[in-house]
Protein backbone atom coordinates (compact mmCIF):
# COMPACT_ATOMS: atom_id res chain seq x y z
CA UNK A 1 0.00 0.00 0.00
CA UNK A 2 1.35 3.43 -0.91
CA UNK A 3 2.17 5.61 2.08
CA UNK A 4 1.46 9.31 2.27
CA UNK A 5 4.62 11.41 2.13
CA UNK A 6 6.12 12.02 5.55
CA UNK A 7 6.43 15.68 4.56
CA UNK A 8 2.69 16.23 4.38
CA UNK A 9 1.47 18.43 7.20
CA UNK A 10 -1.11 16.45 9.20
CA UNK A 11 -2.57 19.69 10.58
CA UNK A 12 -3.20 21.24 7.17
CA UNK A 13 -5.96 19.95 4.91
CA UNK A 14 -4.51 21.65 1.86
CA UNK A 15 -1.23 19.69 2.07
CA UNK A 16 0.61 23.02 1.92
CA UNK A 17 3.56 23.48 4.25
CA UNK A 18 6.90 25.24 4.66
CA UNK A 19 10.27 23.51 4.95
CA UNK A 20 13.53 25.28 5.82
CA UNK A 21 17.20 24.30 5.56
CA UNK A 22 20.42 26.19 6.23
CA UNK A 23 24.02 26.21 5.05
CA UNK A 24 27.17 27.93 6.30
CA UNK A 25 30.29 29.27 4.57
CA UNK A 26 33.78 27.81 4.88
CA UNK A 27 34.68 30.71 7.20
CA UNK A 28 32.06 29.73 9.78
CA UNK A 29 33.87 28.60 12.99
CA UNK A 30 32.49 25.04 12.85
CA UNK A 31 33.41 24.69 9.19
CA UNK A 32 36.94 25.96 9.85
CA UNK A 33 37.25 23.04 12.26
CA UNK A 34 35.79 20.54 9.79
CA UNK A 35 38.24 21.67 7.13
CA UNK A 36 41.26 21.54 9.44
CA UNK A 37 40.32 18.03 10.58
CA UNK A 38 39.79 16.84 7.00
CA UNK A 39 42.99 18.52 5.79
CA UNK A 40 44.94 16.61 8.45
CA UNK A 41 43.16 13.42 7.36
CA UNK A 42 44.11 14.09 3.72
CA UNK A 43 47.76 14.63 4.65
CA UNK A 44 47.79 11.31 6.51
CA UNK A 45 46.09 9.38 3.69
CA UNK A 46 48.43 10.91 1.08
CA UNK A 47 51.37 9.21 2.79
CA UNK A 48 49.63 6.18 4.28
CA UNK A 49 46.24 5.11 2.81
CA UNK A 50 45.72 2.80 5.81
CA UNK A 51 45.90 5.66 8.32
CA UNK A 52 43.40 5.49 11.17
CA UNK A 53 42.30 9.03 11.90
CA UNK A 54 39.76 10.46 14.31
CA UNK A 55 40.73 14.13 14.40
CA UNK A 56 38.79 16.80 16.29
CA UNK A 57 39.45 20.55 16.13
CA UNK A 58 38.32 23.49 18.23
CA UNK A 59 38.89 27.15 17.41
CA UNK A 60 38.30 30.26 19.52
CA UNK A 61 39.88 33.71 19.35
CA UNK A 62 43.60 33.24 18.68
CA UNK A 63 43.79 29.51 19.40
CA UNK A 64 43.37 26.24 17.52
CA UNK A 65 43.31 22.94 19.43
CA UNK A 66 43.69 19.65 17.54
CA UNK A 67 42.92 16.47 19.45
CA UNK A 68 41.87 12.88 18.87
CA UNK A 69 43.39 9.53 17.94
CA UNK A 70 45.67 8.91 14.96
CA UNK A 71 47.58 5.76 14.05
CA UNK A 72 49.61 6.19 10.87
CA UNK A 73 53.01 5.71 9.26
CA UNK A 74 52.72 9.25 7.90
CA UNK A 75 54.96 12.03 9.18
CA UNK A 76 52.82 15.17 9.09
CA UNK A 77 53.56 18.70 10.32
CA UNK A 78 50.15 19.37 11.85
CA UNK A 79 50.69 23.03 12.90
CA UNK A 80 51.73 23.88 9.33
CA UNK A 81 48.62 22.19 7.91
CA UNK A 82 46.45 24.10 10.40
CA UNK A 83 47.95 27.45 9.44
CA UNK A 84 47.82 26.76 5.70
CA UNK A 85 44.16 25.74 5.93
CA UNK A 86 43.26 28.92 7.80
CA UNK A 87 45.18 30.93 5.19
CA UNK A 88 43.23 29.27 2.36
CA UNK A 89 39.97 30.32 4.00
CA UNK A 90 41.48 33.84 4.04
CA UNK A 91 41.68 34.56 7.72
CA UNK A 92 44.79 36.62 6.98
CA UNK A 93 44.02 39.94 8.68
CA UNK A 94 44.67 40.28 12.44
CA UNK A 95 41.91 42.93 12.51
CA UNK A 96 39.38 40.10 12.25
CA UNK A 97 40.53 38.75 15.63
CA UNK A 98 41.81 35.48 14.12
CA UNK A 99 44.54 34.92 11.54
CA UNK A 100 46.75 32.10 10.36
CA UNK A 101 50.07 33.66 11.35
CA UNK A 102 49.43 34.71 14.95
CA UNK A 103 47.06 31.99 16.20
CA UNK A 104 48.37 29.47 18.71
CA UNK A 105 48.17 25.82 17.64
CA UNK A 106 47.87 23.21 20.39
CA UNK A 107 48.14 19.52 19.39
CA UNK A 108 47.01 16.73 21.72
CA UNK A 109 46.84 13.43 19.82
CA UNK A 110 47.00 9.79 20.88
CA UNK A 111 46.92 6.46 19.01
CA UNK A 112 43.76 4.52 18.19
CA UNK A 113 42.70 2.18 20.98
CA UNK A 114 44.05 -1.35 20.34
CA UNK A 115 40.66 -2.73 21.38
CA UNK A 116 39.04 -0.85 18.48
CA UNK A 117 41.93 -1.52 16.12
CA UNK A 118 41.65 -5.32 16.38
CA UNK A 119 38.02 -5.14 15.26
CA UNK A 120 38.87 -2.98 12.25
CA UNK A 121 42.10 -4.66 11.13
CA UNK A 122 41.54 -7.58 8.80
CA UNK A 123 42.61 -10.90 10.37
CA UNK A 124 42.35 -9.70 13.96
CA UNK A 125 39.55 -9.68 16.54
CA UNK A 126 36.64 -12.11 16.86
CA UNK A 127 35.74 -11.69 13.16
CA UNK A 128 38.58 -12.06 10.67
CA UNK A 129 37.05 -9.82 8.00
CA UNK A 130 37.63 -6.07 8.36
CA UNK A 131 34.85 -4.89 10.65
CA UNK A 132 33.08 -1.61 11.24
CA UNK A 133 34.97 0.89 13.39
CA UNK A 134 31.93 1.50 15.57
CA UNK A 135 28.28 0.61 15.97
CA UNK A 136 25.71 3.01 14.60
CA UNK A 137 23.05 3.87 12.06
CA UNK A 138 23.58 5.80 8.85
CA UNK A 139 21.14 7.29 6.34
CA UNK A 140 21.22 8.31 2.70
CA UNK A 141 18.56 10.23 0.81
CA UNK A 142 17.64 11.30 -2.72
CA UNK A 143 14.57 12.85 -4.37
CA UNK A 144 13.54 14.51 -7.63
CA UNK A 145 13.19 18.09 -6.36
CA UNK A 146 16.45 19.26 -7.98
CA UNK A 147 18.73 18.08 -10.82
CA UNK A 148 21.21 17.01 -8.13
CA UNK A 149 18.48 14.73 -6.66
CA UNK A 150 18.65 16.67 -3.41
CA UNK A 151 15.89 18.33 -1.38
CA UNK A 152 15.41 21.86 -2.73
CA UNK A 153 15.84 23.84 0.53
CA UNK A 154 19.31 22.47 1.35
CA UNK A 155 20.47 22.56 -2.29
CA UNK A 156 19.54 26.24 -2.64
CA UNK A 157 21.08 27.07 0.74
CA UNK A 158 24.36 25.49 -0.40
CA UNK A 159 24.18 27.25 -3.77
CA UNK A 160 23.85 30.55 -1.90
CA UNK A 161 26.87 29.95 0.35
CA UNK A 162 28.95 28.93 -2.66
CA UNK A 163 27.85 32.08 -4.51
CA UNK A 164 28.68 34.13 -1.42
CA UNK A 165 32.13 32.53 -1.27
CA UNK A 166 32.81 33.32 -4.92
CA UNK A 167 31.75 36.94 -4.46
CA UNK A 168 34.26 37.19 -1.60
CA UNK A 169 37.11 35.32 -3.27
CA UNK A 170 36.83 37.25 -6.55
CA UNK A 171 36.31 40.49 -4.61
CA UNK A 172 33.14 41.17 -6.56
CA UNK A 173 31.87 42.29 -3.16
CA UNK A 174 35.19 43.42 -1.60
CA UNK A 175 33.72 44.14 1.85
CA UNK A 176 32.74 40.51 2.49
CA UNK A 177 34.50 38.59 5.27
CA UNK A 178 34.74 34.78 5.60
CA UNK A 179 31.96 33.96 8.10
CA UNK A 180 28.41 33.59 6.85
CA UNK A 181 25.15 31.62 6.88
CA UNK A 182 22.23 31.13 4.51
CA UNK A 183 18.74 29.75 5.02
CA UNK A 184 16.01 28.93 2.50
CA UNK A 185 12.33 28.29 3.20
CA UNK A 186 10.37 26.56 0.43
CA UNK A 187 6.59 26.43 0.30
CA UNK A 188 5.28 23.01 -0.75
CA UNK A 189 1.94 22.17 -2.29
CA UNK A 190 0.94 18.50 -2.58
CA UNK A 191 4.48 17.55 -1.48
CA UNK A 192 6.10 19.49 -4.38
CA UNK A 193 7.98 22.83 -4.28
CA UNK A 194 5.60 25.65 -5.19
CA UNK A 195 7.57 28.83 -4.41
CA UNK A 196 10.48 30.24 -2.42
CA UNK A 197 8.94 31.71 0.70
CA UNK A 198 11.91 33.27 2.56
CA UNK A 199 15.66 33.62 2.11
CA UNK A 200 18.00 34.56 4.96
CA UNK A 201 21.62 35.58 4.40
CA UNK A 202 23.84 36.66 7.27
CA UNK A 203 27.33 37.57 6.14
CA UNK A 204 30.32 38.97 7.95
CA UNK A 205 31.53 42.26 6.50
CA UNK A 206 33.97 45.12 6.84
CA UNK A 207 32.76 47.90 9.14
CA UNK A 208 32.91 50.41 6.27
CA UNK A 209 29.88 49.11 4.31
CA UNK A 210 26.40 50.35 5.17
CA UNK A 211 23.57 47.91 5.81
CA UNK A 212 21.55 49.45 2.98
CA UNK A 213 24.33 48.87 0.44
CA UNK A 214 25.04 45.39 1.75
CA UNK A 215 21.40 44.32 1.59
CA UNK A 216 20.90 45.65 -1.94
CA UNK A 217 24.03 44.02 -3.36
CA UNK A 218 23.53 40.67 -1.62
CA UNK A 219 20.00 40.43 -3.03
CA UNK A 220 21.04 41.51 -6.54
CA UNK A 221 24.39 39.71 -6.87
CA UNK A 222 24.07 36.67 -4.63
CA UNK A 223 20.47 35.68 -3.96
CA UNK A 224 18.50 36.37 -7.15
CA UNK A 225 21.06 34.80 -9.54
CA UNK A 226 20.81 31.53 -7.57
CA UNK A 227 17.05 31.13 -7.09
CA UNK A 228 14.96 29.42 -9.81
CA UNK A 229 13.02 32.28 -11.42
CA UNK A 230 9.85 30.20 -11.73
CA UNK A 231 9.71 29.91 -7.92
CA UNK A 232 10.26 33.60 -7.13
CA UNK A 233 7.28 35.95 -6.83
CA UNK A 234 6.61 39.41 -5.42
CA UNK A 235 5.79 37.99 -1.99
CA UNK A 236 9.21 36.47 -1.36
CA UNK A 237 10.81 37.66 1.89
CA UNK A 238 14.49 38.57 2.17
CA UNK A 239 16.30 38.88 5.51
CA UNK A 240 19.85 40.10 4.92
CA UNK A 241 21.95 40.57 8.07
CA UNK A 242 18.74 41.02 10.05
CA UNK A 243 20.55 42.25 13.20
CA UNK A 244 21.87 45.17 11.12
CA UNK A 245 25.57 44.43 11.68
CA UNK A 246 27.91 41.42 11.43
CA UNK A 247 31.49 42.68 11.75
CA UNK A 248 32.65 40.44 14.61
CA UNK A 249 32.54 36.88 13.34
CA UNK A 250 34.55 33.72 12.83
CA UNK A 251 36.41 32.31 15.85
CA UNK A 252 36.56 35.81 17.34
CA UNK A 253 32.79 35.85 17.64
CA UNK A 254 32.01 32.19 18.30
CA UNK A 255 33.70 28.94 19.30
CA UNK A 256 33.96 26.33 16.54
CA UNK A 257 34.00 22.53 16.82
CA UNK A 258 34.41 19.70 14.34
CA UNK A 259 31.20 17.84 13.54
CA UNK A 260 28.70 20.42 14.77
CA UNK A 261 27.04 21.00 11.39
CA UNK A 262 25.90 17.46 10.56
CA UNK A 263 22.51 18.55 9.20
CA UNK A 264 24.19 21.13 6.95
CA UNK A 265 26.52 18.36 5.79
CA UNK A 266 23.65 16.06 4.78
CA UNK A 267 20.08 16.89 3.74
CA UNK A 268 19.09 19.95 5.74
CA UNK A 269 16.71 18.01 7.98
CA UNK A 270 15.02 16.05 5.19
CA UNK A 271 15.29 12.33 5.60
CA UNK A 272 16.92 11.33 8.86
CA UNK A 273 20.40 11.42 10.40
CA UNK A 274 22.07 8.71 12.44
CA UNK A 275 23.97 11.25 14.55
CA UNK A 276 27.56 10.56 13.53
CA UNK A 277 29.68 13.39 12.11
CA UNK A 278 31.90 12.92 9.05
CA UNK A 279 34.87 15.30 9.11
CA UNK A 280 38.20 14.14 10.50
CA UNK A 281 37.29 10.45 10.20
CA UNK A 282 39.14 8.01 7.96
CA UNK A 283 37.06 5.69 5.73
CA UNK A 284 37.15 2.73 8.13
CA UNK A 285 34.66 4.77 10.17
CA UNK A 286 31.20 3.73 9.00
CA UNK A 287 29.75 7.02 10.26
CA UNK A 288 31.29 8.51 7.14
CA UNK A 289 31.66 5.66 4.66
CA UNK A 290 28.24 4.06 5.15
CA UNK A 291 26.57 7.48 4.90
CA UNK A 292 28.30 7.98 1.55
CA UNK A 293 27.26 4.51 0.41
CA UNK A 294 23.67 5.11 1.55
CA UNK A 295 23.53 8.32 -0.53
CA UNK A 296 25.03 6.44 -3.50
CA UNK A 297 22.38 3.72 -3.22
CA UNK A 298 19.50 6.18 -2.78
CA UNK A 299 20.62 8.36 -5.71
CA UNK A 300 20.96 5.37 -8.03
CA UNK A 301 17.53 4.05 -7.03
CA UNK A 302 15.90 7.38 -7.89
CA UNK A 303 17.98 7.75 -11.07
CA UNK A 304 16.90 4.26 -12.12
CA UNK A 305 13.26 5.36 -11.72
CA UNK A 306 12.58 2.67 -9.14
CA UNK A 307 11.19 5.47 -6.91
CA UNK A 308 10.79 9.25 -6.90
CA UNK A 309 12.28 9.56 -3.42
CA UNK A 310 14.38 7.14 -1.41
CA UNK A 311 15.82 6.96 2.07
CA UNK A 312 18.32 4.19 2.87
CA UNK A 313 19.21 3.17 6.41
CA UNK A 314 22.26 1.01 7.16
CA UNK A 315 23.26 -0.20 10.62
CA UNK A 316 26.48 -1.76 11.91
CA UNK A 317 28.02 -3.43 14.96
CA UNK A 318 31.63 -2.68 15.91
CA UNK A 319 34.02 -5.29 14.55
CA UNK A 320 31.38 -6.87 12.29
CA UNK A 321 31.71 -6.44 8.53
CA UNK A 322 28.21 -6.99 7.16
CA UNK A 323 25.48 -4.46 8.01
CA UNK A 324 23.03 -5.53 10.68
CA UNK A 325 20.13 -4.12 8.68
CA UNK A 326 19.32 -2.51 5.33
CA UNK A 327 16.08 -0.51 5.15
CA UNK A 328 14.56 1.17 2.09
CA UNK A 329 11.83 3.82 2.45
CA UNK A 330 10.48 5.39 -0.72
CA UNK A 331 7.75 7.56 0.87
CA UNK A 332 5.15 5.62 -1.09
CA UNK A 333 6.75 6.36 -4.49
CA UNK A 334 8.23 2.93 -5.31
CA UNK A 335 7.56 1.45 -8.74
CA UNK A 336 8.22 -2.04 -7.36
CA UNK A 337 7.95 -3.26 -3.77
CA UNK A 338 10.38 -1.83 -1.22
CA UNK A 339 11.13 -5.40 -0.12
CA UNK A 340 12.23 -6.20 -3.67
CA UNK A 341 14.36 -3.04 -3.84
CA UNK A 342 16.02 -3.98 -0.54
CA UNK A 343 16.83 -7.46 -1.86
CA UNK A 344 18.32 -5.98 -5.03
CA UNK A 345 20.39 -3.50 -3.03
CA UNK A 346 21.84 -6.24 -0.85
CA UNK A 347 22.79 -8.19 -3.99
CA UNK A 348 24.32 -5.33 -6.02
CA UNK A 349 25.99 -2.97 -3.56
CA UNK A 350 29.00 -3.81 -1.36
CA UNK A 351 28.22 -2.74 2.20
CA UNK A 352 31.13 -4.10 4.23
CA UNK A 353 33.70 -1.44 5.22
CA UNK A 354 36.31 -2.94 2.88
CA UNK A 355 33.79 -3.27 0.04
CA UNK A 356 32.54 0.30 0.40
CA UNK A 357 36.05 1.73 0.60
CA UNK A 358 37.13 -0.12 -2.55
CA UNK A 359 33.96 0.53 -4.56
CA UNK A 360 33.85 4.27 -3.80
CA UNK A 361 37.67 4.66 -3.81
CA UNK A 362 37.66 6.30 -0.39
CA UNK A 363 41.24 5.61 0.77
CA UNK A 364 42.44 8.81 -0.93
CA UNK A 365 43.15 12.39 0.18
CA UNK A 366 39.82 13.79 -1.07
CA UNK A 367 38.15 15.02 2.09
CA UNK A 368 39.06 18.70 2.60
CA UNK A 369 36.73 19.59 -0.30
CA UNK A 370 33.81 17.86 1.47
CA UNK A 371 34.11 20.15 4.49
CA UNK A 372 32.18 23.07 2.95
CA UNK A 373 29.22 23.27 0.58
CA UNK A 374 27.79 19.93 1.72
CA UNK A 375 28.93 16.35 1.29
CA UNK A 376 26.08 15.54 -1.11
CA UNK A 377 24.59 17.05 -4.25
CA UNK A 378 27.95 18.19 -5.68
CA UNK A 379 29.07 16.35 -8.82
CA UNK A 380 32.81 16.79 -8.28
CA UNK A 381 35.27 14.29 -9.80
CA UNK A 382 36.27 12.82 -6.43
CA UNK A 383 32.72 12.53 -5.08
CA UNK A 384 32.27 8.94 -6.24
CA UNK A 385 29.13 8.55 -4.11
CA UNK A 386 27.36 11.02 -6.42
CA UNK A 387 27.80 8.83 -9.51
CA UNK A 388 24.77 7.10 -11.03
CA UNK A 389 26.70 4.21 -12.58
CA UNK A 390 24.47 1.50 -11.08
CA UNK A 391 21.28 2.54 -12.87
CA UNK A 392 21.33 -0.14 -15.57
CA UNK A 393 22.20 -2.89 -13.09
CA UNK A 394 19.33 -1.83 -10.83
CA UNK A 395 16.81 -1.72 -13.66
CA UNK A 396 17.95 -5.09 -14.99
CA UNK A 397 17.66 -6.66 -11.53
CA UNK A 398 14.19 -5.11 -11.17
CA UNK A 399 13.07 -6.55 -14.51
CA UNK A 400 12.76 -3.13 -16.16
CA UNK A 401 14.24 -1.92 -19.44
CA UNK A 402 17.31 0.31 -19.54
CA UNK A 403 15.51 3.47 -20.66
Amino acid sequence: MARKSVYSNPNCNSDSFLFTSESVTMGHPDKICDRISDSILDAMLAQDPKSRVACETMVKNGMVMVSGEITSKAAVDIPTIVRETIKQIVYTDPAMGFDYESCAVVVNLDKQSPDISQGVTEGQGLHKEQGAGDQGIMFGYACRETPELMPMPIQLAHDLTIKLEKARQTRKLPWLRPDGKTQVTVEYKDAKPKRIHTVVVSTQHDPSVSHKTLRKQIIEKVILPVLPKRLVDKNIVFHVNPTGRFVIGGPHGDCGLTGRKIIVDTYGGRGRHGGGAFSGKDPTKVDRTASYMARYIAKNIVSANLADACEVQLSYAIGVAEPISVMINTEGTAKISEKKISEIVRKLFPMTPKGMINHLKLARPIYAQTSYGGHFGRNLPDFTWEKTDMVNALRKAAGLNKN
Side-chain angles (χ1 to χ4, degrees), residues 48-59:
D48 179 8
K50 295 184 178 180
S51 295
R52 302 281 172 76
V53 179
C55 183
E56 312 288 346
T57 304
M58 182 184 78
V59 296

Side-chain angles (χ1 to χ4, degrees), residues 116-381:
I116 296 174
S117 178
Q118 72 175 13
V120 179
T121 302
E122 195 168 7
Q124 298 182 11
L126 291 177
H127 304 271
K128 299 309 176 185
E129 191 174 359
Q130 179 181 339
D134 200 354
Q135 70 177 48
I137 55 176
M138 301 86 207
F139 290 92
Y141 187 78
C143 65
R144 295 194 183 280
E145 289 182 13
T146 63
E148 298 84 1
L149 301 185
M150 288 285 285
M152 183 173 287
I154 187 65
Q155 188 64 47
L156 291 180
H158 285 325
D159 290 347
L160 286 170
T161 55
I162 291 169
K163 187 75 170 178
L164 198 61
E165 293 285 4
K166 288 182 178 179
R168 175 175 67 90
Q169 293 165 342
T170 62
R171 297 195 62 78
K172 186 175 183 178
L173 300 177
W175 34 261
L176 285 174
R177 286 182 173 180
D179 196 358
K181 305 177 81 170
T182 66
Q183 186 171 284
V184 176
T185 300
V186 175
E187 181 180 339
Y188 287 77
K189 176 72 173 178
D190 298 325
K192 294 182 179 180
K194 179 184 178 183
R195 57 183 292 270
I196 309 298
H197 183 278
T198 301
V199 175
V200 183
V201 174
S202 294
T203 181
Q204 189 184 13
H205 58 88
D206 291 343
S208 59
V209 66
S210 69
H211 181 264
K212 182 179 179 180
T213 297
L214 182 146
R215 175 184 166 83
K216 182 176 184 295
Q217 294 200 25
I218 290 294
I219 291 173
E220 291 179 356
K221 297 182 180 180
V222 175
I223 299 176
L224 290 178
V226 165
L227 301 184
K229 290 181 174 56
R230 62 186 175 83
L231 298 178
V232 176
D233 61 28
K234 63 180 181 180
N235 296 317
I236 190 171
V237 178
F238 298 119
H239 293 294
V240 179
N241 282 21
T243 70
R245 180 179 170 88
F246 187 2
V247 173
I248 299 173
H252 185 49
D254 194 10
C255 180
L257 293 169
T258 298
R260 203 159 58 176
K261 286 291 177 284
I262 58 177
I263 301 303
V264 170
D265 287 343
T266 52
Y267 308 101
R270 284 286 291 274
R272 282 169 279 197
H273 197 295
F278 302 157
S279 290
K281 295 179 180 178
D282 74 82
T284 68
K285 276 70 170 176
V286 285
D287 276 342
R288 179 169 224 157
T289 297
S291 294
Y292 289 178
M293 178 55 74
R295 163 64 177 174
Y296 177 63
I297 294 169
K299 187 174 183 182
N300 274 274
I301 287 171
V302 174
S303 294
N305 200 32
L306 300 188
D308 294 329
C310 183
E311 180 184 72
V312 177
Q313 185 204 55
L314 306 177
S315 69
Y316 291 84
I318 188 169
V320 179
E322 292 289 343
I324 302 302
S325 65
V326 178
M327 186 276 291
I328 305 294
N329 173 20
T330 65
E331 301 174 11
T333 68
K335 308 302 190 293
I336 62 175
S337 74
E338 290 175 351
K339 181 181 180 182
K340 178 67 173 176
I341 295 175
S342 182
E343 291 170 353
I344 292 170
V345 165
R346 279 187 173 274
K347 185 182 298 184
L348 292 181
F349 292 87
M351 288 179 281
T352 65
K354 183 177 181 180
M356 293 187 292
I357 291 168
N358 290 339
H359 188 87
L360 296 178
K361 300 178 176 61
L362 298 180
R364 299 178 294 147
I366 61 173
Y367 295 103
Q369 61 191 323
T370 70
S371 63
Y372 53 90
H375 292 244
F376 308 124
R378 299 164 65 200
N379 293 314
L380 301 179

